[in-house]
Amino acid sequence: MRLLFLGDMVGKAGRTAVWNQLPGLISDFRLDFVIVNGENAAGGFGITEEIFRDTLAAGADVVTTGNHVWDQREALAFAPREERFLRPANFPKGTPGRGSGLFIARNGARVLVSNIMGRVFMHPELDDPFQAGERELAACPLGEQADAVVIDFHAEATSEKMCFAHFVDGRASLVVGTHTHQPTADHQILNGGTAYLTDAGMCGDYDSSLGMDKEEPLNRFLSKVPKGRFEAANGPATICGVGVDISDRTGLAERVAPLRRGPRLEETVPSFWS
């Protein structure tokens, strides 16, 4: 199975770049399943139902989120009825929506997608992500109810992301970090067969501060006095993510590599997709 995960869409520039490029990527590389993190898609803060639906229309199979999931209040209303919209699974019991789902890929494979949020340097501080991961994997084990398992681990601390990946190694196909908006260069397959990347990076304008127009963040570092709101940068956007080939026999990763397309960053597509 061939899977693509795209990091946090930031603002109009990021979501438009994803919508424009994703159909071609699916066609050119015969992708079986696509996951997109959409938690910054609406002006950099949250996601609306219209943006969610447009992302599905572009070819995404699932949209994950993170700490900004409720920034657009309408998400509280549409989350419970949209099975392909995920918020972190370790929100307290009774929170609207769902944290995991089992989906059917284009090749017929059953894909468990789970969205889990870390706790180190994160707000709000949710339930234990390790216990949440254990619970989700026990409910739908790889090789039994699921042919592939993907976990979007939305967290700040690289150590927490790495330790979580080692915790589930051999029980997940891919653990990919989101939230920091900076693509890392540590893609690898762990000893047990789980593909890992500390952060997928963002889909947005990299002439910015993490996808935001750089003037106000810079002002706050220099003066400590806010002059205005953070606004999403609207220059040409780069999409960033990770591609994985997953064994149809074991559900574990066979190959993993980053995908980056757009200005500023070095462009790359997984060589094994050619």
Side-chain angles (χ1 to χ4, degrees), residues 248-265:
D248 294 332
R249 181 178 61 85
T250 66
L252 296 172
E254 296 180 323
R255 290 171 290 272
V256 60
L259 180 143
R260 296 188 296 270
R261 275 192 163 185
R264 296 196 170 268
L265 305 186

Side-chain angles (χ1 to χ4, degrees), residues 211-243:
M212 294 293 157
D213 185 280
K214 54 185 178 285
E215 295 305 319
E216 181 56 20
L218 180 59
N219 163 67
R220 295 191 190 187
F221 278 115
L222 293 174
S223 72
K224 312 301 180 186
V225 179
K227 288 184 178 178
R229 300 176 56 202
F230 283 4
E231 301 285 348
N234 283 316
T238 298
I239 65 169
C240 287
V242 61

Side-chain angles (χ1 to χ4, degrees), residues 47-49 53 69-70 72-82 85 95-98:
I47 185 170
T48 65
E49 186 168 15
R53 290 186 175 276
V69 60
W70 310 127
Q72 302 295 323
R73 302 299 291 178
E74 67 182 82
L76 290 164
F78 76 78
R81 65 174 182 266
E82 294 290 355
F85 180 80
T95 302
R98 54 190 56 79

Side-chain angles (χ1 to χ4, degrees), residues 92-146:
K93 186 177 181 180
T95 302
R98 54 190 56 79
S100 294
L102 189 65
F103 308 95
I104 304 301
R106 292 170 184 83
N107 67 339
R110 302 163 299 172
V111 184
L112 174 68
V113 182
S114 187
N115 193 181
I116 297 175
M117 196 165 101
R119 294 201 293 186
V120 180
F121 309 129
M122 296 293 289
H123 179 79
E125 186 173 311
L126 303 185
D127 297 339
D128 184 349
F130 291 84
Q131 290 186 11
E134 186 67 40
R135 181 180 64 247
E136 300 301 330
L137 292 173
C140 191
L142 180 64
E144 296 180 25
Q145 282 88 357

